[in-house]
Amino acid sequence: MKKGIEDKFNAAKDFFASVGIDTDATLRRLSNISISVHCWQGDDVGGFETPDSVLSGGGIQVTGNYPGKARNIQELQQDMEKVFTLVPGKHRYNLHAIYGDFGGQRIDRDEIEPKHFEVWVDWAKKNGLKLDFNATCFSHPKADDGFTLSSYSKEIRDFWIEHVKHARRIAAYFGHELNSPSIHNLWIPDGSKDIRFDKWTPREILKESLDEIYSEKISPSLMKDAMESKLFGIGSESFVVGSHEFYLGYALTHNKMICLDMGHFHLTENVGDKISAILQFTNELLFHVSRPVRWDSDHVTILNDELKDFASQIVRYQLDNRINIALDFFDASINRIGAYVLGIRSVLKALLIAMLEPAEKIKQAEIEGDYLRRLALMEETKLYPVGAVWDYYCALNDTPVEKDWLTDVYAYEKEVLSKRN
Ligand code: RNT
Ligand code: ZN
């Protein structure tokens, strides 16, 4: 371990003990939290259906053309292995349906099978990872008019229903092979650019499509279903079929998980705040941790107030096993490996900060109605020596301390990424 790290940690540990916090227990707790790391930051949501697949439609957008993106499964796996050496903890990996191994064949979305994802299962086993999954209802000609599961065309929606059914079976296959239920998240782009006259019918159709999809019962020991709402997208500014209320209603009445993407709400809404409301009525939630900048821009997560608020909600109410943390950002304007590392580390830091709060003391002040004390304690907490604990945790896990990971990222860029074009 680098010189000084342990000394600083011990001093911090004494300090935290003096405010009633057990630092070692905190680090054990942090190491038990797994983040589901998304595959799509690695190649700008392109996928591997064809050698030159690119993100299209769906109201989501990647901007930037930083060199070195992964062009095939092997490169993406190599990149991810690098990423996982630079972040502490054991995590999960989150695939989209377009990332299968289709062997150069044209396999349409309604034909994908577990065998197309064997290469990922083998890789996950080798690297001690668990897998999550997503149907891909965008970047496809049958999604071009902006409607998939809620399409007025029976042919179109049947195609997508079939796709999602296949995707759920692949998630179940992951759960079975890796001994850990795989979360299958469903997000569809459906909506319209301009004012919708009939908002009822598309939602009624979507509900029927979902009923059809979920009529196939799969054990929650293999896979769990989540559904992700959105406020608006590019091309669906005026109306989104799968709104928050729609999916919240569906999830609560059908025993499904809701997925809250931090970029899918009004910018002044505190998404973390929703946790203590929704979890009064259901057992688990999925989060897409992201960073909206003025809109759902999917910037790399950083340690900002929104992220800290989110983490504090998990930690304060011991929801470690009820909130599933997944990442959802894709920035093509910076080194993609570095984007992953920075984003993952920021989420872990937010959790650590929350775990090192003098929670009992603040709660007591609140119960007693001593709101000045409550405010003062929360304010003091902001300067607690969390950095020393974080550095120690990174070193303990054989991962770089402070910004040392940059050295690895740039070396990898030079040796590997710069040779791709
Ligand atoms: C889109 C949703 C969705 C996607 C991924 C690629 O607005 O956030 O989660 O980002 O499925
Ligand atoms: Zn999302």
Side-chain angles (χ1 to χ4, degrees):
M1 196 174 291
K2 222 164 128 183
K3 213 171 144 296
I5 291 184
E6 199 152 9
D7 292 344
K8 281 192 212 151
F9 171 71
N10 284 327
K13 194 169 145 175
D14 287 346
F15 169 79
F16 283 112
S18 77
V19 292
I21 298 165
D22 179 343
T23 309
D24 290 324
T26 294
L27 292 185
R28 280 195 297 278
R29 183 176 176 190
L30 183 61
S31 69
N32 281 326
I33 296 190
S34 292
I35 294 174
S36 185
V37 178
H38 55 318
C39 66
W40 52 92
Q41 162 65 50
D43 78 326
D44 315 338
V45 210
F48 305 124
E49 285 183 318
T50 61
D52 45 9
S53 313
V54 285
L55 172 67
S56 77
I60 51 178
Q61 233 176 40
V62 183
T63 48
N65 54 3
Y66 199 86
K69 79 167 174 184
R71 296 164 300 180
N72 53 52
I73 294 179
Q74 288 66 36
E75 289 182 353
L76 187 54
Q77 290 182 342
Q78 185 188 7
D79 291 354
M80 294 317 303
E81 284 170 30
K82 186 76 211 172
V83 168
F84 286 120
T85 65
L86 302 176
V87 297
K90 261 279 144 241
H91 302 292
R92 303 176 66 89
Y93 193 57
N94 195 8
L95 285 164
H96 240 286
I98 48 178
Y99 287 76
D101 178 10
F102 305 116
Q105 304 291 104
R106 168 109 187 96
I107 308 290
D108 212 344
R109 302 275 169 90
D110 58 345
E111 300 164 335
I112 55 165
E113 302 284 348
K115 67 173 183 225
H116 302 119
F117 293 86
E118 253 170 48
V119 59
W120 286 110
V121 167
D122 293 344
W123 177 77
K125 284 181 180 164
K126 207 177 96 203
N127 289 282
L129 295 162
K130 310 293 180 191
L131 296 175
D132 295 312
F133 201 54
N134 302 262
T136 312
C137 301
F138 50 86
S139 301
H140 189 282
K142 287 197 165 74
D144 274 354
D145 74 347
F147 289 88
T148 63
L149 291 176
S150 71
S151 171
Y152 280 10
S153 151
K154 182 164 163 36
E155 188 211 317
I156 299 268
R157 61 180 188 269
D158 281 350
F159 172 82
W160 291 109
I161 288 171
E162 203 51 33
H163 170 57
V164 183
K165 282 184 172 179
H166 281 238
R168 289 179 79 235
R169 290 176 207 147
I170 292 164
Y173 157 71
F174 289 168
H176 178 259
E177 288 292 320
L178 301 166
N179 263 317
S180 168
S182 173
I183 295 183
H184 176 266
N185 180 49
L186 178 64
W187 173 76
I188 58 167
D190 301 30
S192 57
K193 180 183 173 82
D194 218 335
I195 303 162
R196 183 84 195 174
F197 182 77
D198 178 2
K199 300 181 181 181
W200 180 279
T201 309
R203 288 184 169 138
E204 191 174 45
I205 295 174
L206 177 56
K207 182 169 170 286
E208 280 164 17
S209 295
L210 295 177
D211 288 346
E212 173 56 34
I213 288 166
Y214 300 126
S215 68
E216 189 167 312
K217 299 287 171 234
I218 304 180
S219 163
S221 66
L222 297 179
M223 63 87 64
K224 298 178 187 177
D225 291 297
M227 37 193 37
E228 178 181 0
S229 66
K230 189 158 175 164
L231 183 65
F232 77 93
I234 294 180
S236 60
E237 289 87 348
S238 301
F239 171 65
V240 167
V241 185
S243 61
H244 180 54
E245 291 73 12
F246 177 88
Y247 283 128
L248 186 62
Y250 195 94
L252 292 178
T253 50
H254 293 74
N255 201 19
K256 302 286 171 208
M257 225 186 284
I258 194 98
C259 168
L260 300 175
D261 183 307
M262 292 173 80
H264 289 192
F265 294 86
H266 290 285
L267 289 178
T268 50
E269 271 181 282
N270 180 324
V271 187
D273 251 12
K274 299 178 191 298
I275 293 174
S276 58
I278 299 175
L279 283 186
Q280 304 295 337
F281 305 101
T282 183
N283 196 46
E284 275 183 81
L285 274 178
L286 172 64
F287 251 82
H288 269 188
V289 184
S290 191
R291 176 164 58 106
V293 176
R294 301 197 180 273
W295 72 292
D296 179 35
S297 59
D298 295 285
H299 279 63
V300 180
T301 50
I302 56 169
L303 192 54
N304 58 10
D305 286 346
E306 288 72 24
L307 188 60
K308 285 189 269 187
D309 277 350
F310 160 68
S312 74
Q313 297 306 294
I314 302 176
V315 171
R316 286 181 197 167
Y317 325 123
Q318 330 280 339
L319 301 173
D320 310 26
N321 296 317
R322 294 178 62 190
I323 307 272
N324 301 283
I325 306 175
L327 304 179
D328 186 10
F329 54 77
F330 31 96
D331 187 339
S333 73
I334 54 176
N335 177 302
R336 294 171 186 78
I337 317 296
Y340 270 125
V341 176
L342 194 150
I344 298 167
R345 287 171 72 110
S346 70
V347 177
L348 294 172
K349 285 180 196 164
L351 289 162
L352 181 62
I353 290 172
M355 289 176 189
L356 292 171
E357 268 180 350
E360 288 314 313
K361 287 197 163 70
I362 301 174
K363 240 194 278 179
Q364 199 50 41
E366 187 159 271
I367 291 167
E368 287 165 11
D370 188 345
Y371 299 146
L372 175 62
R373 172 181 294 276
R374 177 182 64 185
L375 193 61
L377 285 173
M378 291 196 295
E379 194 63 5
E380 285 306 314
T381 307
K382 292 175 184 165
L383 293 185
Y384 278 6
V386 179
V389 180
W390 169 249
D391 289 347
Y392 176 78
Y393 182 65
C394 290
L396 201 66
N397 281 275
D398 279 325
T399 49
V401 169
E402 295 172 354
K403 59 171 187 348
D404 288 358
W405 55 267
L406 276 171
T407 314
D408 293 66
V409 168
Y410 287 132
Y412 186 78
E413 174 166 295
K414 194 161 166 245
E415 282 153 32
V416 182
L417 303 180
S418 68
K419 303 198 168 118
R420 299 175 187 166
N421 63 59

